[in-house]
Amino acid sequence: PLSLGFSIVVASAILVSFDAVIYNINQISARQTLTPKHLLGRMTASIRFMIWGILPIGSLIGGLLGSRLGLRTTLIIAAAGGMLPLLAAWILPIRTLRSVDAP
């Protein structure tokens, strides 16, 4: 039988995957609308560099935390950190944005 922890991990992975699609559709649309056409390539490259470039650093920090604090504590920290974008989306005015005037 599957453990409760495994079931929670699978359910959260499904939820995060679904949420990532919704987030990406909205954030890419907003970026493309707000960025002048001649800067779209640079802006996309910069965003990708920031997102993909930080992953190895996060992996290193996660490994260090896991070896120092233990797996359970590290996962709790990761879960709390994963909630920060939700908090930012709730606080920032982008949440109420319904249309964007082209620059």
Side-chain angles (χ1 to χ4, degrees):
L2 297 176
S3 68
L4 176 62
F6 179 76
S7 300
I8 290 172
V9 168
V10 169
S12 68
I14 292 169
L15 185 62
V16 165
S17 297
F18 177 75
D19 188 44
V21 171
I22 294 171
Y23 169 77
N24 280 320
I25 290 170
N26 287 301
Q27 67 98 0
I28 290 171
S29 298
R31 283 192 291 133
Q32 288 176 341
T33 302
L34 294 170
T35 305
K37 297 251 186 258
H38 69 282
L39 295 176
L40 276 174
R42 290 180 184 179
M43 183 272 307
T44 300
S46 298
I47 292 292
R48 285 188 171 268
F49 176 77
M50 288 188 295
I51 292 171
W52 292 101
I54 199 76
L55 286 176
I57 296 169
S59 298
L60 179 64
I61 291 170
L64 290 173
L65 287 175
S67 64
R68 300 275 196 268
L69 304 177
L71 182 58
R72 183 178 302 265
T73 304
T74 301
L75 287 174
I76 290 170
I77 292 170
M83 296 301 289
L84 291 177
L86 179 62
L87 179 64
W90 186 256
I91 292 172
L92 296 173
I94 193 86
R95 178 174 57 93
T96 60
L97 187 65
R98 297 294 176 247
S99 67
V100 179
D101 296 330

